[in-house]
Amino acid sequence: MSFKIVKKQPLNPEITLMSIEAPLIAAKAKAGQFIILRVDEQGERIPLTVAETDKDAGTVTIIYQKVGATTMQLDTLNEGESLHDFVGPLGTPTHIEGLKKVAVVGGGLGCAIAYPIAKALHEQGAEVHLIAGFRTKDLIILEDMMKNASTHLYLCTDDGSFGFSGFVTDQLKELIEAGNQYDEVFAIGPLPMMKFVCRLTKQHDIKTTVSMNPIMVDGTGMCGGCRVTVGGEMKFACVDGPDFDGHQVDFDEIIARNASYKEFEAQQKAHFCNLRGEIHG
Amino acid sequence: MANMSLTKVKISEQDPAVRNHNFLEVSLGYTAEEAMEEASRCLGCKNEPCRGGCPVAVSIPQFIAQVKEGNFAEAYRILSGDNALPAVCGRVCPQETQCESKCVRGIKGEPVAIGRLERFVADWARENGITNEVKIEKNGDKVAVVGSGPAGLTCAGELAKMGYDVTIFEALHTAGGVLSYGIPEFRLPKEIVRKEIEGLQKMGVDVETNMVIGKVLSIDELFERGYKAVFVGSGAGLPQFMKIPGEGLCGVYSANEYLTRINLMKAYTEGAPTPLLHSKSVAVVGGGNVAMDAARCAKRMGADKVYIVYRRGEEELPARKEEVHHAKEEGIIFELLTAPLSIEGDEKGRVNKMKCIRMELGEPDASGRRRPVPVEGSEFDMEVDTVIMAIGTSPNPLIRSTTPGLEANKKGCLVTKEDASTTREGIFCGGDAATGAATVILAMGAGKHAAKSIDEYIKSKK
């Protein structure tokens, strides 16, 4: 089977959008689910969230950040080329039934994961406050798409170069204190961000769902590499999640485990950069 | 005249001190001369007791008679007629409890080395480009096989021979199931697995990887796509943890994850993009073949000290004797009658010790084995930076949770009747998915048996 890249579009200097030909997955994927891909025959398996699907065209859209060797290698591929492996849809879809008013909080690349959830909620008629945070103005992605997927989009930048000045947690706090009554908050982004959103919502007793991003290998429940402690119990994010009750998640444990291969990853990245330097230099 | 030697012809092996630093195959196999000499130890018993011990009933005396005469191609024809994966079985079957346990030569002395001869014949055929040409008359009916492990591969091969159009759906990117991700290269070279699967593809079996049935397509959708029957051979791949404190620490692996990273993702090769933590001191918890595989891999990945931590004694180790022997030769340290209590880590969340307690054997439990009981006051710390949990696996719930009407027992195994049929018409099941974690050859036997039932079922519907 071949998984052809039909569209590639850089969203900012770090983040790229790709649409892949995968009709079976496009027909099935729901908000909150993910795929696992391998770039080539030797490649590692990496998980990426399904950002959008087009059932008629049979395509699945993924959005990735160039953070290491594999995502950088993925970014060397162009439209018309193919991925070696592309498997999904994996994970349990996000539970959105019955929600009337929600806040969806996305940080950086997490906005690519927050977007389909916001869109699904918006399509079922919920009032969606989408809070999207970026380090600075130049890194803002998906602005129009997010605007269309929400009742109100609140853009935030850490340095105040655009929109609300400060972190997404600050914006969420403002909205809660202004009297917004949310049925549920969805937080998606770096682990520390989700941890701080949960700390805030816990004070206000608002149910909060987080989308966990632990290290994965197979993504089908056979290895437990992605295990997360939730309410004192061991859960596998690839099958039981990736969504969990944020107030029950042991964030510190997963922050430590996600750093397991930091050294190796830095080496791989340096190696990849050197290799590209040789080829292009 | 039979060779009346009481012992098997010796097989060459890599030196333990050399092999525990590489992933090359430990056992080097018989030469043609050695195989013919060993084959002449077979008495060719008329009542074929050995055959009764083989879950797929290979015509053992017949193929060995051909080896004895040096007719290796004919030996392969006989062997591969009964067994779809002879190069695999010759290597990983526990022959000591199967075919060889029934061999009459074993009453006084060692039994005939049936496994080694099977391996020799399969390897010889592969090296000489001999394939078993079977004439297949297509019947036009489609059957789907979920999972490409030993059960699925065997079932697919048998059905293909009967004329069915068979599609295997595999969730991972490489076919083979445990043969690819679990059993290490030094026991079963992946090239051999690949060739055996290629053999099935030549018979017309279609293998579709990256297909997680239950997610991308449900079993009901397979029926809608025209498959007349479905065989579920999805195994028992869900790893168990002990539920002791510290299992979320960095440096704790399930054996499935550790072995998948090494075998399927080739983390042992220079420059592989899939990482594995470098360990100095490793505890593998468990006493089965998976524990032995994980321990021997850890040694090869450069660990100085590798412990097998098992709560019962040497006699109770569920692993094959040969694997325990190999592990000991390679310097694996056995901490028997020992159970972990908790795992502890440093400030960065990396494992630095495992608290254990010594055990003694008490009265036999429900399984008939003597139950281990903790020895009061015997707690001690084991200094390790990696812990690998190899305490068993259970079936993945994905298929049963997405297929209405498919019943499973308390352990998550699909409920099957004698003929391998499940609680849903047209769905059959075999191997670990039906029995819980067992052996490669039992899964193959189940696959072969289910193929026969599927054939009868489809014919009965006409």
Side-chain angles (χ1 to χ4, degrees):
Chain A
M1 218 189 285
S2 122
F3 304 97
K4 205 165 99 185
I5 299 164
V6 292
K7 181 180 171 188
K8 182 186 176 187
Q9 180 191 348
L11 299 180
N12 73 26
E14 294 171 8
I15 297 177
T16 307
L17 174 151
M18 243 183 207
S19 293
I20 315 291
E21 210 170 77
L24 290 173
I25 303 174
K28 276 286 167 70
K30 289 198 171 70
Q33 290 190 295
F34 65 96
I35 57 91
I36 281 198
L37 65 80
R38 283 205 314 157
V39 178
D40 65 19
E41 214 182 336
Q42 273 74 45
E44 63 172 336
R45 296 169 68 96
I46 60 161
L48 288 168
T49 299
V50 174
E52 195 142 56
T53 55
D54 184 332
K55 288 185 177 57
D56 300 329
T59 58
V60 172
T61 299
I62 52 170
I63 297 176
Y64 58 89
Q65 186 163 10
K66 289 174 267 176
V67 288
T70 296
T71 42
M72 288 162 79
Q73 191 199 358
L74 173 62
D75 207 57
T76 63
L77 296 184
N78 291 306
E79 288 175 9
E81 293 184 279
S82 292
L83 299 176
H84 199 277
D85 299 288
F86 198 75
V87 56
L90 303 170
T92 306
T94 303
H95 296 293
I96 56 170
E97 297 77 20
L99 299 174
K100 299 272 187 291
K101 181 169 178 173
V102 297
V104 180
V105 186
L109 181 73
C111 293
I113 304 165
Y115 162 70
I117 294 169
K119 188 179 165 196
L121 283 156
H122 193 242
E123 278 170 1
Q124 76 171 20
E127 183 179 345
V128 178
H129 290 181
L130 180 49
I131 304 166
F134 299 91
R135 287 206 310 277
T136 186
K137 181 173 184 263
D138 297 339
L139 297 179
I140 293 174
I141 57 167
L142 306 174
E143 187 178 350
D144 291 339
M145 285 161 80
M146 290 196 295
K147 206 171 266 172
N148 291 330
S150 59
T151 318
H152 200 299
L153 173 65
Y154 298 88
L155 276 171
C156 316
T157 49
D158 296 358
D159 63 0
S161 52
F162 191 87
F164 179 87
S165 174
F167 296 130
V168 287
T169 35
D170 301 323
Q171 173 70 81
L172 178 63
K173 190 165 183 249
E174 255 192 42
L175 288 166
I176 294 170
E177 283 171 358
N180 284 291
Q181 303 260 344
Y182 297 118
D183 299 336
E184 192 167 337
V185 169
F186 293 84
I188 302 122
L191 289 166
M193 179 215 113
M194 293 195 280
K195 180 180 164 178
F196 285 112
V197 168
C198 289
R199 195 173 281 180
L200 170 70
T201 56
K202 179 94 184 154
Q203 289 163 14
H204 297 273
D205 203 20
I206 307 167
K207 185 183 176 194
T208 302
T209 294
V210 293
S211 180
M212 297 304 286
N213 49 9
I215 293 170
M216 287 189 188
V217 185
D218 62 289
T220 62
M222 62 165 266
C223 87
C226 67
R227 62 197 186 276
V228 179
T229 304
V230 183
E233 265 184 64
M234 185 189 288
K235 299 281 180 189
F236 290 180
C238 72
V239 289
D240 302 318
D243 289 355
F244 292 107
D245 178 348
H247 296 150
Q248 301 286 322
V249 168
D250 183 342
F251 280 103
D252 294 335
E253 177 186 275
I254 198 70
I255 287 171
R257 260 226 335 282
N258 266 13
S260 296
Y261 304 107
K262 224 168 150 182
E263 220 172 285
F264 177 90
E265 284 158 0
Q267 277 170 17
Q268 291 288 112
K269 187 176 177 179
H271 178 72
F272 184 83
C273 293
N274 288 340
L275 213 64
R276 299 301 296 177
E278 273 166 36
I279 293 166
H280 295 297
Chain B
M1 177 61 202
N3 168 358
M4 292 314 289
S5 164
L6 291 182
T7 53
K8 293 175 178 178
V9 172
K10 283 224 168 347
I11 196 160
S12 337
E13 287 178 347
Q14 271 199 81
D15 183 71
V18 173
R19 72 180 191 234
N20 66 10
H21 297 288
N22 69 47
F23 276 81
L24 301 173
E25 199 170 10
V26 166
S27 169
L28 304 173
Y30 277 155
T31 61
E33 293 71 30
E34 288 166 344
M36 288 167 71
E37 193 191 334
E38 178 62 25
S40 65
R41 292 185 64 228
C42 175
L43 303 175
C45 310
K46 285 274 173 295
N47 58 345
E48 312 174 337
C50 51
R51 207 175 163 180
C54 172
V56 294
V58 165
S59 310
I60 293 167
Q62 292 77 6
F63 98 79
I64 290 182
Q66 297 299 328
V67 176
K68 189 173 158 185
E69 302 302 323
N71 300 332
F72 304 140
E74 180 57 18
Y76 181 70
R77 196 192 62 76
I78 296 168
L79 177 58
S80 61
D82 295 325
N83 185 341
L85 312 166
V88 171
C89 288
R91 285 174 167 81
V92 305
C93 274
Q95 287 98 6
E96 65 274 19
T97 61
Q98 295 176 339
C99 55
E100 292 181 19
S101 75
K102 301 281 199 292
C103 175
V104 294
R105 295 297 304 267
I107 298 167
K108 193 179 165 195
E110 288 184 337
V112 173
I114 301 166
R116 293 174 182 178
L117 291 173
E118 178 178 32
R119 169 187 164 164
F120 167 78
V121 171
D123 287 357
W124 181 90
R126 188 178 64 255
E127 282 153 18
N128 289 279
I130 310 274
T131 49
N132 190 6
E133 301 290 339
V134 267
K135 262 201 141 172
I136 293 172
E137 272 181 54
K138 290 273 186 191
N139 61 23
D141 287 327
K142 289 188 353 175
V143 178
V145 170
V146 180
S148 66
L153 291 175
T154 307
C155 185
E158 293 294 317
L159 288 165
K161 279 193 242 169
M162 296 173 195
Y164 291 95
D165 284 317
V166 185
T167 310
I168 300 181
F169 295 98
E170 166 57 46
L172 290 171
H173 57 260
T174 304
V178 75
L179 308 176
S180 290
Y181 75 75
I183 302 174
E185 188 78 19
F186 57 81
R187 279 218 289 140
L188 178 63
K190 300 307 141 209
E191 182 62 15
I192 286 167
V193 179
R194 204 177 58 79
K195 288 275 185 190
E196 299 246 38
I197 292 168
E198 258 179 36
L200 290 178
Q201 287 172 311
K202 279 193 190 126
M203 286 186 350
V205 174
D206 182 24
V207 181
E208 293 211 26
T209 53
N210 294 315
M211 294 289 279
V212 186
I213 300 304
K215 287 286 182 190
V216 71
L217 289 174
S218 66
I219 287 192
D220 286 294
E221 284 168 315
L222 293 178
F223 284 119
E224 284 166 26
R225 286 170 174 249
Y227 292 97
K228 293 270 167 42
V230 177
F231 174 74
V232 178
S234 51
L238 189 75
Q240 287 165 17
F241 285 85
M242 290 190 77
K243 296 182 177 164
I244 57 172
E247 283 181 303
L249 288 165
C250 182
V252 180
Y253 288 100
S254 73
N256 263 12
E257 179 181 3
Y258 196 76
L259 292 171
T260 298
R261 284 178 180 271
I262 292 176
N263 301 321
L264 182 71
M265 306 311 297
K266 310 245 174 291
Y268 67 90
T269 54
E270 189 71 29
T274 299
L276 191 74
L277 287 173
H278 286 283
S279 314
K280 287 200 179 69
S281 185
V282 180
V284 179
V285 182
N289 288 320
V290 175
M292 299 305 139
D293 285 345
R296 295 171 72 195
C297 280
K299 191 80 186 177
R300 284 162 171 78
M301 294 300 289
D304 298 329
K305 286 202 166 127
V306 181
Y307 304 94
I308 288 279
V309 178
Y310 181 59
R311 61 196 184 121
R312 290 185 161 100
E314 169 111 30
E315 280 307 302
E316 289 81 16
L317 280 168
R320 287 187 67 189
K321 287 261 183 307
E322 186 184 336
E323 301 311 326
V324 174
H325 173 69
H326 278 150
K328 284 185 175 169
E329 278 186 337
E330 289 166 15
I332 308 296
I333 306 157
F334 283 69
E335 287 284 357
L336 301 170
L337 290 164
T338 303
L341 295 172
S342 66
I343 306 164
E344 294 180 14
D346 60 18
E347 69 286 349
K348 283 183 173 165
R350 173 84 201 251
V351 172
N352 61 9
K353 67 176 145 195
M354 184 161 81
K355 283 201 173 301
C356 297
I357 190 164
R358 299 290 183 193
M359 312 291 275
E360 59 190 9
L361 292 180
E363 294 301 307
D365 63 11
S367 72
R369 294 187 301 176
R370 293 176 67 193
R371 201 167 58 90
V373 187
V375 177
E376 216 174 298
S378 68
E379 292 88 349
F380 68 102
D381 286 348
M382 192 179 262
E383 273 185 45
V384 289
D385 57 17
T386 305
V387 176
I388 301 170
M389 290 296 175
I391 54 167
T393 55
S394 56
N396 192 312
L398 190 55
I399 301 280
R400 66 173 190 265
S401 65
T402 54
T403 313
L406 204 54
E407 281 170 31
N409 67 17
K410 259 189 262 165
K411 289 181 173 168
C413 305
L414 292 192
V415 174
T416 53
K417 292 197 201 81
E418 186 77 344
D419 65 350
S421 62
T422 65
T423 51
R424 269 283 305 271
E425 193 188 327
I427 303 178
F428 296 76
C429 176
D432 288 3
T435 60
T439 62
V440 167
I441 189 69
L442 284 175
M444 292 179 56
K448 192 168 180 174
H449 174 65
K452 197 166 153 272
S453 300
I454 289 170
D455 180 50
E456 283 163 9
Y457 164 76
I458 293 177
K459 282 185 178 144
S460 76
K461 301 292 280 182
K462 296 214 161 165

